[in-house]
Amino acid sequence: KNEVEQSPQNLTAQEGEFITINCSYSVGISALHWLQQHPGGGIVSLFMLSSGKKKHGRLIATINIQEKHSSLHITASHPRDSAVYICAVRPYYSGGGADGLTFGKGTHLIIQP
Amino acid sequence: EADIYQTPRYLVIGTGKKITLECSQTMGHDKMYWYQQDPGMELHLIHYSYGVNSTEKGDLSSESTVSRIRTEHFPLTLESARPSHTSQYLCASSERGSYGYTFGSGTRLTVV
């Protein structure tokens, strides 16, 4: 059974701080997603990774396939970054079954002004 | 800008009522998914479809049913709503051969 573990579960930081959220998983994967969920519930896809590193604005995502670990970084954090950040993996199946995502429980991030 | 639309965004309904949650996408994606998210918990896959007339149950058992008569439309139905069905339901789609997903805004269902 695939487990996706995120840390920390909750994080409160001051505006401008550098933020790191971690994700570990237990099975081989085709891809890893970082998602952002705002209080209204809708989900926005931030990154999809299968190797290396990606950057978009102030957001950086890295993945280490051998260690089964990924990190999401936010530089120069801002109150509008306050949201739940969710790590999700697409397990690699040899055949059959759903190819839906397996999700972590999310990291609740609050950036205070 | 969302290319996958869910309606309604919020629904409060009485026990025993039949409800249908709508999900439509304009991207021509073959694969569509329904996820359920209880408050404070992670999302779990409850239904998926790989194309027209294809539907399968996901990892989490659900009393809901789905249909896929058209590529762009993947509605979820509860024949008789119960308070235990109170949850958020998220629809997503994916293109065949792609690992990318597009999510809808979700439907927050409350059964009283």
Side-chain angles (χ1 to χ4, degrees), chain A residues 14-32:
Chain A
Q14 295 299 121
E15 183 173 357
E17 286 189 38
F18 182 82
I19 304 298
T20 296
I21 300 170
N22 296 299
C23 174
S24 297
Y25 52 92
S26 57
V27 298
I29 64 170
S30 304
L32 180 144

Side-chain angles (χ1 to χ4, degrees), chain B residues 44-109:
Chain B
H44 289 282
L45 180 68
I46 53 173
H47 298 284
Y48 63 98
S49 167
Y50 288 164
V52 171
N53 295 325
S54 154
T55 61
E56 300 287 344
K57 289 191 178 294
D59 306 322
L60 182 69
S61 176
S62 174
E63 294 170 347
S64 59
T65 59
V66 292
S67 62
R68 190 89 182 275
I69 298 172
R70 301 199 315 266
T71 297
E72 63 271 21
H73 197 214
F74 191 39
L76 180 146
T77 298
L78 278 164
E79 290 292 332
S80 179
R82 294 207 301 269
S84 60
H85 296 140
T86 294
S87 190
Q88 171 150 270
Y89 294 85
L90 278 142
C91 181
S93 70
S94 176
E95 190 173 13
R96 188 182 297 276
S98 168
Y99 298 152
Y101 287 77
T102 303
F103 287 88
S105 298
T107 294
R108 193 174 295 277
L109 173 66

Side-chain angles (χ1 to χ4, degrees), chain B residues 6-60:
Chain B
Q6 288 189 245
T7 58
R9 284 285 285 119
Y10 302 94
L11 178 62
V12 181
I13 200 162
T15 297
K17 299 290 187 183
K18 178 180 178 178
I19 57 171
T20 297
L21 309 184
E22 301 289 348
C23 175
S24 296
Q25 50 97 4
T26 59
M27 298 166 286
H29 287 174
D30 288 320
K31 298 181 180 181
M32 297 189 74
Y33 311 83
W34 276 103
Y35 293 92
Q36 182 175 341
Q37 184 181 32
D38 292 332
M41 301 298 290
E42 64 268 41
L43 288 86
H44 289 282
L45 180 68
I46 53 173
H47 298 284
Y48 63 98
S49 167
Y50 288 164
V52 171
N53 295 325
S54 154
T55 61
E56 300 287 344
K57 289 191 178 294
D59 306 322
L60 182 69

Side-chain angles (χ1 to χ4, degrees), chain A residues 12-17 77-80 82 110-113:
Chain A
T12 299
Q14 295 299 121
E15 183 173 357
E17 286 189 38
S77 59
H78 190 276
R80 65 175 175 265
S82 299
I110 297 173
I111 304 297
Q112 295 177 335

Side-chain angles (χ1 to χ4, degrees), chain A residues 31 41 47 79 81 91:
Chain A
F47 294 104
D81 297 326

